[in-house]
Amino acid sequence: MSLLKPRKSRDAAAPLPVHDLEAGGAFPARPFVAVVPGEAVPLIPLDLPEALKGAARERVARRQLRDAYGGSETGLDARPARLGPSSEMWQRMLVTQAATREDWARAIAPAGALCRAILPDFLALPAAPDLWVIEADDARIRARLGLEDGFAAEPDLAMALLQEAVETAPPR
């Protein structure tokens, strides 16, 4: 997944339009953010010491991912999730299959530089400190839990994730 750091638009107050890459259709004629199914790009929480910064932080994060999820990064694309007010103190990584990320990159290539980022769809939901935004239909639930957390999942799994979130860090 090509998670690009969104560039500041000339009109910082105007949000960029969102284009659902899986739904297809014509790309917007102005800068936009492409979204992909959040189920394919989980936001994995890590336990990173505050003293770690830069490349060392990323090395330790990758080691934690390997230790927790099978000892190998082969075939995975993992990127720091620089969310919230302190992008240097990130505590989560966005992880997807490398082949899936490559498919998304090929699909978005005709848009060129107009595509400012490819993000999981749950990160396109509105966000604010201590605010939860939840969007549901019969097949899936997308949730944005504050500035630095979120997920997309089928309803039974989503309910378990929401229950855990309520127990550990409920919204105000």
Side-chain angles (χ1 to χ4, degrees):
M1 178 176 63
S2 180
L3 292 177
L4 307 174
K5 187 172 183 180
R7 299 177 193 145
K8 295 204 182 217
S9 66
R10 289 186 182 131
D11 180 8
L16 294 176
V18 173
H19 175 78
D20 184 340
L21 195 54
E22 296 290 306
F27 296 122
R30 64 184 187 100
F32 66 94
V33 172
V35 294
V36 296
E39 296 89 336
V41 194
L43 191 54
I44 307 295
L46 302 166
D47 185 21
L48 299 171
E50 287 186 28
L52 284 177
K53 294 188 178 27
R57 189 173 195 82
E58 193 163 337
R59 276 193 306 275
V60 170
R62 289 182 182 284
R63 188 174 322 123
Q64 284 185 16
L65 280 174
R66 283 191 305 270
D67 292 348
Y69 297 100
S72 174
E73 283 185 68
T74 304
L76 293 181
D77 186 88
R79 309 280 173 118
R82 299 179 193 282
L83 305 170
S86 176
S87 65
E88 286 302 312
M89 299 308 294
W90 52 270
Q91 289 288 329
R92 292 169 172 74
M93 288 190 90
L94 290 158
V95 180
T96 193
Q97 295 294 321
T100 302
R101 184 209 40 87
E102 291 166 5
D103 290 344
W104 292 331
R106 275 190 296 280
I108 206 70
L114 288 176
C115 180
R116 299 297 170 92
I118 300 174
L119 299 173
D121 56 8
F122 59 85
L123 289 180
L125 293 172
D130 301 316
L131 173 71
W132 287 12
V133 176
I134 300 171
E135 183 177 276
D137 61 30
D138 292 337
R140 62 195 299 253
I141 294 175
R142 294 185 313 147
R144 185 75 190 260
L145 310 177
L147 296 175
E148 300 180 41
D149 201 2
F151 63 85
E154 58 87 25
D156 289 339
L157 176 57
M159 293 308 293
L161 292 170
L162 286 170
Q163 182 62 40
E164 181 182 336
V166 163
E167 292 170 4
T168 58
R172 288 189 191 170

